[in-house]
Amino acid sequence: MATEKLYYEDPYIRNFHAQLVENGVDENGRHYVVLDKTAFYATGGGQPNDTGMINNVPVYDVEEVDGEIRHFIQTPIEEKECSGEIDWERRFDHMQQHAGQHILSAAFEEMYGYKTVSFHLGEETCSIDLEVQALGVEEASRVEERANAILLENRPIEVKWVTTEEASRLPLRKALSVTDNIRLVIIPEFDYNGCGGTHPSTTGQVSTINILHWEKQKKNYLRIYFVCGNRARKQLHEKHRVIQQLTGLLNAPQDKLADAAIRILDEQKDLKKEMSALKFTLLEEEANRLAEQAEEKKHYRFVEKIFTDKPMGELQQLAKNVTEKTSRGVVLFMSHKDDRLQFVCARSKDIDIRINEVVKALLPVINGKGGGSPMIAQGGGDPLLSPEAFAEKLVEAIENVLAETV
Ligand SMILES: [Zn+2]
């Protein structure tokens, strides 16, 4: 049974009484109630649903299925007599945005012939997609001016139910999507539009229409972002608060904020460059020092060190640097922190050991994982033995390999 839509008799109805028709569950297991009539608007035509209360139970979603309006609630309603109240602040905001969209779309079409192909009413901003590839700043500001002039004139926004025949005699902005029960929303001498949404009774109540920015979309459409009504005021406060904060932080007036940010980003880029050059020098020096300290073993020279402050990436670089500076060198760097033992093991070009195989054989002693190439390998595991003991195991393994090959 089709639900009687009270918002079509009067879009300003906030409270109403109705009879319960049915408690139901939809295909997603969500519980809903159907009433004989309702002031709750169901999502459609770009306008989101209302929220509110029925018998003090919150309504979190509203959908229309074949003329039946379903109010989604968490718990069933048993009483036959129901009283409903919609969240008026939310609804009026939707009315302002929706009417604002009609006016903005009509202004784009009237002034430049740009047709609106879709409308989105979001939580923060609204958008329309225009059938055009580019928009000039000047064009946008002229359209915004025209749209706001329509608000200032405080024209009536009328609703008319018409037949296809009657509709065909009016200058409709877009083709109708229905053939019977045609509902037109009309701003006389300006916009004639088939629409099922809720609108204020005069354009003045939209209060303001502000184009924010625009961006290219697929299919050569252009998406225009805008806000109307109380949203514009709220967002002005929010943006001003952010700008005040930035003005203080960057010590620059509003019109110099971008320059100040660019300066800081440039400085940061230079500092990063300087820092990586310094790091490179430090690693080189450290590699020289470590190479000099290499311990003479029977068939090779061993460099070993435990670190607590270097990331693995740096240890790998350092290990490569040291092996390049040491003939017949084997390097073992370990990092012992946060209850984890990690290591890098590398060798010079002039010594024939498959480091990845030595490491692989050793990993079980620390429950570890790892791998690499014959030249350099890395791994990590539990600190089941001290770094010193781990190093001893490695030396032993390397000596065994070398004893076989030499
Ligand atoms: Zn509409």
Side-chain angles (χ1 to χ4, degrees), residues 137-371:
V137 175
E138 185 66 20
E139 280 178 315
S141 97
R142 284 210 189 126
V143 166
E144 191 185 72
E145 233 168 75
R146 172 67 173 148
N148 281 283
I150 298 288
L151 305 192
L152 267 182
E153 289 169 16
N154 202 20
R155 298 194 192 191
I157 302 179
E158 296 165 357
V159 171
K160 263 203 184 108
W161 294 88
V162 297
T163 61
T164 324
E165 232 279 298
E166 290 164 318
S168 70
R169 288 198 293 267
L170 293 167
L172 297 187
R173 183 151 52 76
K174 59 175 195 248
L176 293 167
S177 55
V178 287
T179 48
D180 41 38
N181 287 331
I182 298 167
R183 184 177 186 263
L184 297 183
V185 173
I186 297 169
I187 301 167
E189 310 291 302
F190 182 63
D191 189 35
Y192 298 79
N193 201 18
C195 175
T198 57
H199 292 269
S201 55
T202 55
T203 59
Q205 291 171 67
V206 175
S207 158
T208 177
I209 298 173
N210 302 78
I211 294 177
L212 301 172
H213 62 278
W214 50 92
E215 62 192 23
K216 279 196 166 172
Q217 293 300 115
K218 280 181 213 143
K219 294 192 200 161
N220 288 331
Y221 292 155
L222 202 65
R223 182 159 295 171
I224 317 287
Y225 291 88
F226 66 97
V227 285
C228 306
N230 295 336
R231 276 186 192 205
R233 192 165 39 83
K234 278 185 199 155
Q235 291 196 7
L236 176 67
H237 291 316
E238 176 60 21
K239 285 184 201 307
H240 189 68
R241 193 185 59 76
V242 172
I243 283 173
Q244 284 289 89
Q245 221 175 350
L246 288 175
T247 302
L249 281 171
L250 299 179
N251 195 24
Q254 180 174 324
D255 61 333
K256 297 276 188 293
L257 282 179
D259 291 340
I262 288 169
R263 211 166 43 239
I264 289 172
L265 290 172
D266 283 347
E267 275 170 18
Q268 199 195 21
K269 230 184 269 169
D270 291 345
L271 283 174
K272 264 191 183 161
K273 256 191 223 159
E274 232 171 90
M275 201 165 80
S276 73
L278 281 172
K279 252 190 184 166
F280 182 80
T281 315
L282 277 175
L283 274 182
E284 274 296 298
E285 282 174 8
E286 190 161 15
N288 284 335
R289 242 186 349 261
L290 287 163
E292 275 167 25
Q293 291 163 12
E295 188 188 337
E296 289 292 342
K297 300 270 185 193
K298 195 169 171 192
H299 303 293
Y300 67 104
R301 301 164 77 210
F302 190 50
V303 178
E304 172 204 346
K305 190 166 177 181
I306 303 161
F307 295 86
T308 51
D309 57 344
K310 279 203 196 329
M312 281 297 274
E314 231 168 83
L315 290 188
Q316 284 166 347
Q317 189 55 50
L318 188 59
K320 272 185 203 155
N321 290 1
V322 175
T323 51
E324 276 163 20
K325 295 172 196 298
T326 319
S327 65
R328 297 190 64 75
V330 174
V331 172
L332 174 66
F333 291 154
M334 290 166 288
S335 151
H336 186 208
K337 69 171 182 186
D338 302 334
D339 241 19
R340 208 172 146 69
L341 182 65
Q342 286 181 292
F343 65 90
V344 182
C345 191
R347 65 144 166 96
S348 311
K349 277 188 193 139
D350 55 359
I351 182 166
D352 186 22
I353 318 169
R354 300 183 71 81
I355 288 292
N356 49 347
E357 282 170 19
V358 175
V359 160
K360 200 177 160 195
L362 210 59
L363 280 169
V365 304
I366 54 166
N367 260 342
K369 281 190 184 128

